[in-house]
Amino acid sequence: MENAGLPENLQGVHIHFVGIKGTGMAALVEILFSRGAVITGSDVSERFYTDEILEKLGIQALPFSEKNITDSVQYVVYSSAYSMQKNPDLIAAAGKNIPCLLYTQALGSYSSLAYSCGICGVHGKTSTTGLAGTILKHLDLPVQILAGSVINSFGNSCTYTSPGCCSAERHFFVAETCEYQRHFMSFCPQKIVLTSVESDHQDYYPTYEDIRNAFVDYICKLPQNGELIYCADDAGAVETAEIAGQKRPDIKLIPYGENASGDYHLEFGDVKDEKNYFSLRLPGDFYLTVPGKHEVRDAAAAVSLAYQLLRTAGKNPSDYNEQIRLGLAEFSGGKRRSEIVGKYTSPSGNSVVIIDDYGHHPTAIRTTLAGYREFYKGRKIIVDFMSHTYSRTQALLKKFASSFGDADVVILHKIYASARENSADFTINGRTLFEEAQKYNSDIHYFEEILDAKDFLLEELDKPLSEKYPDGCLFVTMGAGDNWKLGKALLN
């Protein structure tokens, strides 16, 4: 039995999660647990960072087995990685006619029970959701936030629930919503934040128009007079907003960014003392302690959403500028989002900062590295990149190759394949990207396996530095692969 929605009252309702260690799944577990649901779940035995989130709630992931589907289980939520035809838990649940919901369906069902805001875009979803949640923590609104990664300011969790939220008559729910395979179409938004639209997920959206049209369809899910808060600095977001506005003239289009007119016109200020200063026309002056103009744009989106939610709640947003300032200053990123994983001093005395970042699209690589170059002016930047999926690498080969301009040294590896693709179907590999990237980068190196680069790196980070780099080195692992292990290996 599929597609039955979750009940409004979750107190004491037993929900079993199949693939409970997935980031989104663990986040939804936290949300439903806060509403009084009884949670069990199953997954592989390998330990993930989400195990800590589950253990905090007293939940232990069980091995997959039909025995997990006891008579008390009322609903099953499952990850798209598992099949109704093959997974023993799901086969047993279907045999007992227990409603089974995909993660996206369960999230969508929950969103229909609240005043929900969906944050979407090819880049910046997680940061914008984290920033919005960190601001909303400081406001007197009943809110729940769900991000697609651990956010430091949520107490190393993917979610935040405000005190009194669960007893409030109506609450605000802000969630990261994903465009892949149109997953966000299950969500029920009252407001949408759109950060960016460009070609990505080529295995599902062969052309730019395909992915743009998916975003248009999502925006058209907004209710009568719903609000779209969109980035006026992103050509794809602007075009998408215009098309949605033509289809649905009742939707209120609210731009933010340097090119925005109105309340949320953005001006970039100085970058000094490892702080990013900026101002918005109506709310005023703020700063962030994370690098990059892209992060400032995400902060502008988050402030815009906070202001619009305060208006919806019948409050005067200008009364809350000080709390918004505190929220922005508190934000320090999230897991794999410009995450500082450690610092050390090399044998020759170089200060080394190690950062891990999930940037896996050429635009994200370019903007993130430009941000580091500005923020860490006095450091030599060495980036280790692992490309994710053959289809994306092949479609965007030249863009990938030319995206490392702000790095002093570049290291590349084999392609981290998706489980959905076969490398034999493609004409490229990791070396193809390396050969193309040599046209744009003079100091570039290739190591097929990640850890093969370790000795080279230790030597590189210990080299005498020129006067240009008085502060030392910045080493960045980048991509959606598993090259983050290299940063950990260096620290060990």
Side-chain angles (χ1 to χ4, degrees), residues 259-295:
N259 295 318
S261 54
D263 292 352
Y264 309 121
H265 169 71
L266 165 67
E267 288 196 6
F268 291 102
D270 293 338
V271 179
K272 57 183 186 204
D273 309 323
E274 300 195 348
K275 287 190 179 89
N276 248 321
Y277 291 88
F278 68 98
S279 65
L280 293 167
R281 183 170 289 151
L282 183 65
D285 300 327
F286 305 100
Y287 73 82
L288 274 182
T289 60
V290 290
K293 282 188 169 176
H294 61 295
E295 291 282 7

Side-chain angles (χ1 to χ4, degrees), residues 26 99 147 150 154 181 264 267 280 294 329 366 385 396 406 446 453 477 484:
V150 167
F154 293 179
Q181 294 184 343
Y264 309 121
E267 288 196 6
L280 293 167
H294 61 295
R366 201 166 43 252
F385 176 70
L396 304 175
D406 278 301
Y446 185 83
T477 50
W484 55 267

Side-chain angles (χ1 to χ4, degrees), residues 229-475:
I229 299 165
Y230 70 96
C231 183
D233 301 342
D234 182 89
V238 172
E239 186 189 1
T240 303
E242 282 168 358
I243 295 170
Q246 284 159 9
K247 287 190 164 195
R248 286 278 310 278
D250 63 290
I251 291 173
K252 195 173 172 198
L253 301 179
I254 301 169
Y256 67 89
E258 273 189 299
N259 295 318
S261 54
D263 292 352
Y264 309 121
H265 169 71
L266 165 67
E267 288 196 6
F268 291 102
D270 293 338
V271 179
K272 57 183 186 204
D273 309 323
E274 300 195 348
K275 287 190 179 89
N276 248 321
Y277 291 88
F278 68 98
S279 65
L280 293 167
R281 183 170 289 151
L282 183 65
D285 300 327
F286 305 100
Y287 73 82
L288 274 182
T289 60
V290 290
K293 282 188 169 176
H294 61 295
E295 291 282 7
V296 173
R297 284 196 177 88
D298 294 344
V303 174
S304 308
L305 177 63
Y307 252 57
Q308 294 305 117
L309 285 175
L310 285 163
R311 286 180 170 138
T312 300
K315 297 174 189 283
N316 177 9
S318 302
D319 295 344
Y320 292 85
N321 283 348
E322 205 38 57
Q323 288 93 314
I324 291 172
R325 242 171 236 120
L326 284 171
L328 289 174
E330 186 197 338
F331 181 75
S332 62
K335 193 158 190 70
R336 307 221 59 212
R337 302 309 193 277
S338 288
E339 178 191 10
I340 295 178
V341 291
K343 299 177 181 182
Y344 76 93
T345 304
S346 80
S348 72
N350 291 343
S351 154
V352 179
V353 174
I354 298 176
I355 283 183
D356 181 45
D357 189 83
Y358 189 66
H360 56 281
H361 185 286
T363 305
I365 296 164
R366 201 166 43 252
T367 54
T368 304
L369 290 177
Y372 296 158
R373 174 57 77 213
E374 193 177 24
F375 207 71
Y376 296 102
K377 284 185 178 77
R379 288 185 185 273
K380 180 178 178 177
I381 298 177
I382 300 169
V383 64
D384 182 280
F385 176 70
M386 186 174 210
S387 199
H388 179 235
T389 80
Y390 283 82
S391 56
R392 183 186 285 122
T393 313
Q394 188 160 298
L396 304 175
L397 184 67
K398 280 190 166 37
K399 287 184 176 175
F400 271 117
S402 60
S403 62
F404 305 103
D406 278 301
D408 296 293
V409 182
V410 181
I411 299 164
L412 297 174
H413 305 284
K414 65 183 182 187
I415 293 170
Y416 188 81
S418 154
R420 295 179 293 272
E421 61 186 11
N422 178 4
S423 61
D425 297 338
F426 298 90
T427 56
I428 59 154
N429 56 32
R431 279 202 165 273
T432 317
L433 174 58
F434 169 63
E435 283 157 17
E436 187 66 29
Q438 280 181 311
K439 297 173 187 174
Y440 303 91
N441 307 272
S442 55
D443 201 343
I444 183 163
H445 309 268
Y446 185 83
F447 296 91
E448 183 77 8
E449 301 299 331
I450 297 156
L451 293 177
D452 290 353
K454 185 181 151 191
D455 291 343
F456 166 80
L457 260 169
L458 286 169
E459 210 172 294
E460 193 65 36
L461 293 164
D462 196 40
K463 277 183 183 172
L465 295 166
S466 72
E467 288 167 15
K468 231 167 102 178
Y469 301 124
D471 299 342
C473 296
L474 177 70
F475 173 59

Side-chain angles (χ1 to χ4, degrees), residues 80 102 104 178-185 201 203-205 214 420:
S80 59
L102 256 172
T104 46
C178 181
E179 71 278 7
Y180 185 61
Q181 294 184 343
R182 290 180 166 248
H183 285 157
F184 51 23
M185 293 303 287
H201 305 298
D203 58 329
Y204 188 78
Y205 299 115
R420 295 179 293 272

